[in-house]
Amino acid sequence: MVLKEISMGALRLSREETRFELRFESLRDATNACSFPCDEAGHVDMDDMAEGTLNCYLFARAVIGHEFARPRVCLVAAA
């Protein structure tokens, strides 16, 4: 899969072939990042997350500016 940062309206693909992730890049280690499924606006469905995934998501949000950069919405497309 290939991750691409998107801007609103830049790509038009059918819903069946698109998937988005909210990606938190580490401020300390360029190889460390967290990503979570979301819609094209960056909204995640916290009710649908497993407890461990939800805890990681909430942690990443809580430490923006300390451990992680502000999240980006990324398009995940098949290579």
Side-chain angles (χ1 to χ4, degrees):
M1 293 192 171
V2 177
L3 282 177
K4 297 179 183 177
E5 188 171 355
I6 64 162
S7 59
M8 298 305 281
L11 298 174
R12 295 192 186 277
L13 300 172
S14 71
R15 286 214 180 267
E16 294 78 32
E17 57 191 23
T18 59
R19 191 169 71 100
F20 297 92
E21 290 183 343
L22 190 63
R23 187 169 179 82
F24 294 81
E25 299 283 342
S26 173
L27 295 174
R28 298 174 187 214
D29 180 1
T31 63
N32 189 20
C34 297
S35 59
F36 306 92
C38 68
D39 64 14
E40 59 266 7
H43 300 118
V44 300
D45 185 358
M46 296 190 325
D47 293 332
D48 203 31
M49 289 182 172
E51 184 178 353
T53 304
L54 178 60
N55 288 339
C56 289
Y57 172 69
L58 294 173
F59 175 78
R61 282 185 16 178
V63 296
I64 291 172
H66 300 282
E67 296 286 331
F68 292 104
R70 294 179 65 110
R72 313 178 289 170
V73 176
C74 296
L75 174 65
V76 179

